[in-house]
Amino acid sequence: MMDYASMQFAPTEVPVEHHSHGGWEPYVDNGGTSLAIAGKDFVIVAADARQSDGYSINSRYDPKAFVLSNQTVIATTGYAADAKRLVEVMEQNAQTYFHKHDRAMGTTAMAQLMSNTLYYKRFFPYYVFPILAGLDKEGNGAVFSYDPVGNMERVVYLACGSASALVQPFLDNQVGGANQRGHEGGFLDRATARKIAIDAFTSATERDIHTGDWLDLFTIDRTGIHREKRELKHD
Amino acid sequence: MDPIEIRLPHTIQRPKATPNYGPRTHTTRPIVTGTSVIAFKYKDGIMMAADCLASYGSLARFRNEKRLMAVGETTLLGVSGDMSDFQHMQHTLESILTQEYDMDDGQKLGTKSVYKCISNIMYNRRTKVDPLWNSYVIGGLDNGEKILGYVDLYGTTYQSATIATGFGGHLAQPILRRRVEGREDELSEEEAVQILDECMRVLFYRDARSLNKLRRAKVTAQGVEISEPYMLETNWSFAESITGYGS
C-alpha cells in the first residue's frame, strides 16, 4: 500500500545562497545613546538621533526622545521598532488616563506605567533601554532607569545605549563626584548640567560609531519643556 | 487479490531529512527575490529606481518583474526581498484602497498613512515571528510635503533624504549622500535622473543579482509616474586588463 501521509509533494527544495546557523531572530540593535541628569528644580534629557544597523547609517535624524506630557520626556535606545511601539503604547495610555481622570498623568505615575508596560511583555520583551525623566509632585527633577523587562529605579543621573560605557563613568565623576576629593555633593546647577550633557555627547561621538549626527536636548522645569536640536559630527 | 499499486508521478518525492510532521514552521528564507531599490528627494518630489529582475537563488529567473508600484494617487512603493511576500502586500494594500474608496468621503489615502500602514503590517508580522521578507521604500507627497521612508522585515522604520536597500545600502548610498544630502530642494530633475542612473550603473557592475533593465519612477505634484523599462550604457573595456582576482 502506498503511504500517502508520509509523502511530500514537490517542490520540496529551494535554492540556498547562504547557509545560516540558527534561524531568524526578531531583534536588531539600532545603536544610539541617551542620558538624563536631575537637578533640584529641573531635569535635562539628551539623546542623539542617528539610527544605524551594523556598520551602516540608516538615518541621520531619527529622533528617539519623545515628549509625553508638559513635564515628562522619554528617551530610548536599543531596537528602534520596539522603542517606537513602546512610546506609542505609553502615549495611548497617558491619553486614556487624561480622559478618564480629567488631569494629565504625573511623572511618577508615568514611571510606574512604563515598568508595567515593559513587564507585560516579560516573555517577548521590548528590546529597549528607556529613560523616563521629568518633574515629580514636589517639582524636583526625577530620572527613572529601566531594563527591558521593567526593573525600575529612581536615580539622579543616567546614561543608556551604545556609548553608555563611555558616558556613565564620566557622569559618575562629573555629576556624582566619584573619586573627587572635597566634592560637596548635591545637585548641579542648570548651566553646568547642560554643558556636561553636551560634552558627554561630543566625546561619545568621537569614539562610538553608533552615536552622532544630531542631538535632541530637553530641559524640563516648571515653565515647561525647552527643546534644542544641536549638531554632532556626521562621520 | 493483490492490492492495487498506483504509479505516482516522478515529481512526488519520498521524505528526506525534513519530515512533514513536527512543529509548525514559518518562512525561514526568501525564495524568489528582488535586489536593491534606491530613492531620494529632489526639487519636485521623490525619485526611485529598481531593476526588473526577480532571482531564484543565483538564477536570473524572472526578467520582467515590476518592483515599483503606485499606492493611491500620491504614493510610490519600491520593494526588495521576497516577491511572493510582496504580492501578498499588494493584495492587502488593494483591499485597503478599495475600503477607503467605498467610504465615499472624498478623502484620499496620503503617503504618511500608507507608510504607517505598511510599517504596522511589517512590525506585526515580525512580532508573530513570521515576517514578510521584504524591505520597502515608500515615497510621496503628502499635502505638498516630501515624504521618503523605509521599513523592513524587522519593522525597523526611518525617514531620510536618501534611501537604498540591500546592496544599494553599501554601493549606492555613499554616492547618494555625497550628491543629494543638503540639496534636496534644489536638485533639478535632469540631475536627479543622472544621479539615479549613475547609482544603478554602479549596482549593475558589482551586484551579481542585478539586471541592466530597470524602471525609474517619480512622484511630483502631477502624481506618480513609473517609466517603461530601459537599459543603461555600460563599458566593459576595463575587463580585458583584469587578471586573477582583479584590482
Side-chain angles (χ1 to χ4, degrees):
Chain A
M1 240 347 227
M2 284 299 217
D3 179 14
Y4 293 103
S6 69
M7 284 176 191
Q8 280 195 308
F9 291 84
T12 54
E13 277 172 274
V14 291
V16 178
E17 289 216 66
H18 305 286
H19 289 275
S20 63
H21 298 280
W24 184 74
E25 281 196 33
Y27 291 114
V28 275
D29 183 359
N30 298 111
T33 307
S34 58
L35 70 77
I37 302 169
K40 181 114 196 59
D41 56 353
F42 71 93
V43 62
I44 283 180
V45 187
D48 74 312
R50 175 177 292 178
Q51 192 201 91
S52 43
D53 186 359
Y55 288 117
S56 303
I57 296 171
N58 288 338
S59 177
R60 296 200 189 281
Y61 193 69
D62 181 58
K64 46 182 149 284
F66 303 89
V67 172
L68 285 179
S69 75
N70 61 356
Q71 52 172 3
T72 317
V73 165
I74 175 177
T76 64
T77 51
Y79 174 30
D82 270 354
K84 285 173 191 177
R85 174 54 59 89
L86 173 67
V87 171
E88 268 178 15
V89 171
M90 290 293 292
E91 282 171 344
Q92 284 160 4
N93 285 319
Q95 192 71 224
T96 307
Y97 181 100
F98 177 77
H99 291 301
K100 260 187 178 166
H101 302 96
D102 198 25
R103 67 187 160 87
M105 206 177 205
T107 301
T108 45
M110 204 87 90
Q112 186 59 51
L113 172 64
M114 174 98 98
S115 175
N116 295 344
T117 310
L118 290 165
Y119 191 77
Y120 182 79
K121 271 174 67 69
R122 173 61 180 81
F123 299 108
F124 187 20
Y126 290 117
Y127 189 23
V128 180
F129 298 86
I131 298 176
L132 191 122
L135 298 180
D136 65 11
K137 247 180 238 143
E138 284 73 46
N140 303 319
V143 175
F144 292 91
S145 152
Y146 300 87
D147 77 353
V149 290
N151 294 296
M152 178 176 72
E153 188 187 7
R154 185 169 171 173
V155 293
V156 177
Y157 58 89
L158 177 67
C160 273
S162 57
S164 62
L166 278 65
V167 177
Q168 187 68 43
F170 172 68
L171 296 182
D172 285 337
N173 182 247
Q174 292 296 308
V175 185
N179 310 304
Q180 296 218 59
R181 233 169 306 180
H183 183 84
E184 284 148 32
F187 292 112
L188 254 49
D189 66 85
R190 188 184 306 213
T192 315
R194 183 175 163 280
K195 264 176 70 178
I196 285 171
I198 293 167
D199 283 351
F201 273 94
T202 17
S203 305
T205 302
E206 285 292 320
R207 285 288 185 170
D208 178 24
I209 56 167
H210 300 119
T211 300
D213 293 325
W214 295 94
L215 180 66
D216 283 325
L217 201 136
F218 300 85
T219 309
I220 310 167
D221 59 23
R222 71 171 68 83
T223 65
I225 298 176
H226 310 277
R227 185 172 166 265
E228 316 173 42
K229 180 180 168 186
R230 296 176 61 89
E231 206 157 0
L232 293 169
K233 279 168 81 169
H234 289 227
D235 57 359
Chain B
M1 197 174 145
D2 288 338
I4 299 164
E5 280 259 353
I6 301 166
R7 170 101 190 185
L8 289 161
H10 71 279
T11 47
I12 292 176
Q13 298 172 9
R14 290 276 173 187
K16 280 193 270 183
T18 45
N20 60 352
Y21 52 83
R24 184 182 160 200
T25 53
H26 293 129
T27 308
T28 51
R29 62 171 72 98
I31 312 292
V32 177
T33 59
T35 186
S36 325
V37 174
I38 61 167
F40 57 90
K41 294 181 186 178
Y42 74 109
K43 195 173 74 182
D44 308 325
I46 308 289
M47 276 263 177
M48 206 182 280
D51 67 24
C52 301
L53 180 64
S55 308
Y56 183 68
S58 57
L59 174 70
R61 181 67 182 81
F62 303 103
R63 295 185 293 174
N64 195 21
E65 206 71 350
K66 226 179 156 182
R67 299 201 288 122
L68 300 174
M69 69 175 281
V71 184
E73 289 166 25
T74 58
T75 308
L76 183 61
L77 178 65
V79 62
S80 55
D82 191 278
M83 296 309 286
S84 62
D85 282 351
F86 171 50
Q87 287 175 5
H88 170 73
M89 181 64 86
Q90 276 185 302
H91 279 108
T92 310
L93 292 171
E94 233 165 73
S95 356
I96 291 165
L97 284 167
T98 308
Q99 277 180 34
E100 288 295 314
Y101 177 79
D102 289 345
M103 288 282 171
D104 199 25
D105 55 4
Q107 288 277 37
K108 297 278 191 287
L109 208 59
T111 304
K112 284 178 183 172
S113 310
V114 173
Y115 182 37
K116 185 67 189 165
C117 178
I118 297 175
S119 301
N120 283 339
I121 292 171
M122 295 300 279
Y123 181 76
N124 285 334
R125 287 294 294 259
R126 96 88 217 188
T127 304
K128 290 178 188 158
V129 203
D130 186 13
L132 294 178
W133 219 285
N134 298 119
S135 299
Y136 289 105
V137 182
I138 294 106
L141 286 172
D142 199 304
N143 293 315
E145 187 192 349
K146 281 176 248 178
I147 304 285
L148 182 58
Y150 168 97
V151 56
D152 65 13
L153 69 163
Y154 295 100
T156 308
T157 54
Y158 56 84
Q159 295 186 45
S160 182
T162 62
I163 286 177
T165 69
F167 249 107
H170 299 106
L171 299 174
Q173 188 69 284
I175 302 170
L176 292 176
R177 294 244 166 93
R178 171 158 290 179
R179 300 194 61 179
V180 178
E181 220 167 57
R183 305 210 304 136
E184 301 95 273
D185 298 322
E186 51 188 77
L187 270 181
S188 68
E189 182 170 329
E190 292 72 50
E191 197 179 346
V193 168
Q194 195 222 326
I195 294 168
L196 209 67
D197 284 351
E198 184 60 40
C199 290
M200 291 308 281
R201 186 176 292 112
V202 169
L203 281 168
F204 177 59
Y205 276 133
R206 281 294 177 181
D207 179 3
R209 303 287 171 264
S210 67
L211 189 69
N212 190 11
K213 181 180 173 188
L214 56 139
R215 283 175 200 271
R216 182 163 68 212
K218 62 175 180 180
V219 197
T220 58
Q222 277 68 255
V224 181
E225 204 179 295
I226 302 173
S227 80
E228 285 306 304
Y230 67 99
M231 305 238 308
L232 291 169
E233 209 138 290
T234 51
N235 173 16
W236 295 93
S237 62
F238 67 89
E240 258 178 296
S241 63
I242 294 181
T243 52
Y245 288 103
S247 58

